[in-house]
Amino acid sequence: MKPRLIGIIIATFVLAVVAVVIWKPWRAFNICDAPKEFCALASDLKHQEGIDKAEVDYEVTAVDAKDGDSAQASWTVKLDESLAADQAGELAQEASTRIQDFVDGQPLVHSSARFVSGEPQDSDIPDLELYPLDVSAGEDIKEQITQAFTLRQLGAQSVGQGSAVAKDIPSLKVLGEYTAEHEWPISLALEDSSVRYSSDQPLDLAEFELTLEAATHESVEISIFDSSGLSVHSTAEAGSQEVAQLESWLKKHSPLREPTAFAISDAGYADIIEGWVGQKLPESLVARPAQLPDGVSAWPKNSAAPSCTQDDLELSLGSPDAAAGSRFMAVYAKNMSASSCAINGYPKIQFLNAQGEAQNDVSLVPMSNILSERVVIPVGESVMSALKWMAMSTTNDPDVTTSLRIAGMSGFPQATYVPETGGTATSLDILDGREVTQSPWLQALDGWPIPSNVGQQPSAERP
């Protein structure tokens, strides 16, 4: 035989061997390539009534000539989709127990099992088929499979680990109502994910119905409910009538059992409107009068006291302080007049950098949990406005605040104040793009130095 022909024959043989290894044709005939005792269990399982197929993929993950090779065994058990839900649950529990008992006797083998049902589809992952029902085994496999089969029989297109997908909103509603009735924690969605509800708690029907109702509104493209609340995406532009109507509807909607945040994004995702469904706020955000420190009595509320003028007040800054990643500082206003005067609202503050330029991108927002009230300041006493911000890294942005321009009230003239620590000027790690929260003018605030004692009894305690 000619050398060239021999070479061609050898090359052809090598290619055939490689093709066989890659293709693994024995899979087409359901031939098991795991150790015989694994194959024996898989064979035994697949002959059980109600089980259409049982396979095990076996892969050596570490070779150890002394202690033995480590391996991964992955089991796939296909259940007959005509089974009743409770039958499927019982069968999955039995099969899972048998697999676990067997693997417990194989100390070097890690094992996983999945229970599937229905007609599979190919996936982008080699050797992986996608089933309309696919649940991984766990301690609650019986409940998981019973739930999965129930949802499939109620019309779910596909069911996974604590999740189900429906073809349309009416079908999704059926699934939601059933899971709410049985108090199942589950994630439900449409196939295109335009409507999604997820929770690790039993499905709350009011939350779920709000999600579906939002999805039916004009211009709404996406409606999602999760642990952060309701997120809605509108195809309308910010400022449009459609977006305004959606916001109004959510604010006027009946409040849910728990305060529920909402966020509406516009067509370009450039504008986010936030609020609370039914305008029901969490307790932490409900504005209430400030709590006074222990031992401090509220000043008299003299309705006849005149409003403070700019000449009545002497402003000053407290020393900045820090604790647990937060920063604190207070602005003070002392009544220098000959009689009591009243103040209400917030001081006007602008933050300046070392060049004396305004940091226009610093957001100054009210402390939402503190109610702004009219405070009557006795002669010689001081009120305070608390400032709080999170620590900010100045490594890549050294353009920090070095002074503040402050007016006691809107319309009063501003003056510039430099923060100090121990009598020495200091900067504040407040940068453009960051947020500072501010309390209204207060007699005092629990956890902060009492204004009349500033400089005498400094405190590091902060709320």
Side-chain angles (χ1 to χ4, degrees):
M1 188 178 292
K2 295 182 179 180
R4 182 178 180 186
L5 181 57
I6 294 174
I8 293 174
I9 293 173
I10 293 174
T12 302
F13 176 76
V14 170
L15 289 174
V17 170
V18 171
V20 167
V21 171
I22 295 175
W23 175 40
K24 297 181 180 180
W26 52 85
R27 291 184 181 273
F29 301 99
N30 200 24
I31 297 175
C32 180
D33 60 346
K36 62 180 182 180
E37 61 270 27
F38 287 78
C39 295
L41 177 56
S43 177
D44 195 20
L45 288 173
K46 75 179 179 182
H47 285 98
Q48 190 167 344
E49 185 177 356
I51 294 181
D52 291 342
K53 181 174 66 173
E55 297 176 340
V56 57
D57 286 333
Y58 187 91
E59 179 184 0
V60 175
T61 55
V63 176
D64 190 323
K66 177 183 177 183
D67 298 324
D69 297 345
S70 298
Q72 172 70 43
S74 302
W75 306 79
T76 301
V77 178
K78 185 173 184 246
L79 302 174
D80 186 339
E81 61 181 337
S82 67
L83 289 168
D86 57 346
Q87 289 179 312
E90 292 283 356
L91 193 55
Q93 177 70 70
E94 181 182 343
S96 180
T97 300
R98 291 189 63 185
I99 291 171
Q100 188 59 52
D101 289 345
F102 170 76
V103 173
D104 286 344
Q106 312 288 330
L108 297 178
V109 178
H110 296 281
S111 178
S112 64
R114 58 194 281 246
F115 290 85
V116 300
S117 185
E119 291 302 315
Q121 295 179 343
D122 291 334
S123 72
D124 295 333
I125 302 175
D127 298 329
L128 177 65
E129 294 177 314
L130 299 178
Y131 289 85
L133 185 151
D134 194 333
V135 177
S136 298
E139 292 182 359
D140 59 348
I141 187 60
K142 178 179 177 180
E143 292 76 12
Q144 287 279 345
I145 290 296
T146 300
Q147 173 181 309
F149 265 73
T150 299
L151 294 176
R152 276 285 286 163
Q153 291 160 7
L154 285 171
Q157 284 189 310
S158 62
V159 183
Q161 203 77 22
S163 65
V165 172
K167 64 179 180 179
D168 52 36
I169 287 181
S171 301
L172 195 63
K173 186 175 181 181
V174 170
L175 300 180
E177 290 174 346
Y178 190 90
T179 53
E181 180 183 349
H182 290 77
E183 298 184 339
W184 289 344
I186 195 168
S187 296
L188 298 175
L190 291 183
E191 190 173 19
D192 63 359
S193 295
S194 61
V195 180
R196 299 201 302 273
Y197 175 90
S198 62
S199 174
D200 57 3
Q201 300 298 316
L203 185 142
D204 185 305
L205 192 56
E207 295 174 348
F208 181 69
E209 289 178 340
L210 174 69
T211 309
L212 299 188
E213 193 175 355
T216 63
H217 271 248
E218 184 180 2
S219 85
V220 170
E221 186 175 57
I222 299 173
S223 179
I224 300 172
F225 194 100
D226 56 24
S227 59
S228 63
L230 179 68
S231 299
V232 179
H233 177 62
S234 173
T235 56
E237 298 294 334
S240 66
Q241 182 178 359
E242 293 88 346
V243 171
Q245 288 176 342
L246 185 58
E247 179 186 7
S248 176
W249 170 70
L250 287 168
K251 287 183 175 180
K252 293 178 180 178
H253 193 281
S254 299
L256 304 186
R257 180 169 50 87
E258 297 293 336
T260 304
F262 71 78
I264 305 171
S265 56
D266 67 350
Y269 290 94
D271 193 34
I272 304 292
I273 299 172
E274 297 180 316
W276 296 89
V277 175
Q279 301 196 64
K280 179 181 180 180
L281 303 177
E283 284 297 313
S284 61
L285 296 182
V286 176
R288 291 187 171 85
Q291 181 178 352
L292 295 175
D294 291 340
V296 175
S297 299
W299 292 330
K301 296 181 180 296
N302 181 3
S303 59
S307 296
C308 298
T309 67
Q310 61 190 48
D311 296 328
D312 294 334
L313 302 176
E314 180 181 78
L315 303 185
S316 62
L317 283 181
S319 297
D321 204 348
S326 296
R327 302 288 187 262
F328 310 89
M329 191 174 67
V331 178
Y332 298 100
K334 185 175 183 178
N335 181 5
M336 304 296 292
S337 69
S339 61
S340 297
C341 68
I343 194 169
N344 193 357
Y346 300 78
K348 303 303 175 184
I349 301 175
Q350 197 169 38
F351 300 91
L352 310 177
N353 61 21
Q355 288 72 46
E357 300 169 340
Q359 294 172 282
N360 294 320
D361 290 333
V362 175
S363 300
L364 189 63
V365 298
M367 292 182 181
S368 56
N369 62 324
I370 299 181
L371 186 66
S372 177
E373 296 185 298
R374 184 174 185 266
V375 182
V376 178
I377 315 173
V379 175
E381 293 287 356
S382 297
V383 290
M384 65 174 289
S385 173
L387 302 178
K388 179 180 177 181
W389 64 97
M390 299 304 295
M392 305 175 191
S393 173
T394 61
T395 302
N396 298 318
D397 187 356
D399 200 17
V400 297
T401 295
T402 57
S403 60
L404 297 85
R405 190 176 293 136
I406 308 174
M409 290 293 295
S410 179
F412 285 12
Q414 291 183 316
T416 300
Y417 299 84
V418 176
E420 296 183 355
T421 299
T424 303
T426 186
S427 61
L428 308 177
D429 57 347
I430 298 174
L431 308 173
D432 277 333
R434 303 309 292 268
E435 180 179 281
V436 178
T437 58
Q438 172 191 28
S439 80
W441 286 118
L442 306 169
Q443 175 186 341
L445 182 60
D446 188 37
W448 291 68
I450 299 171
S452 59
N453 295 339
V454 171
Q456 301 174 29
Q457 298 179 11
S459 170
E461 182 186 0
R462 292 292 182 264

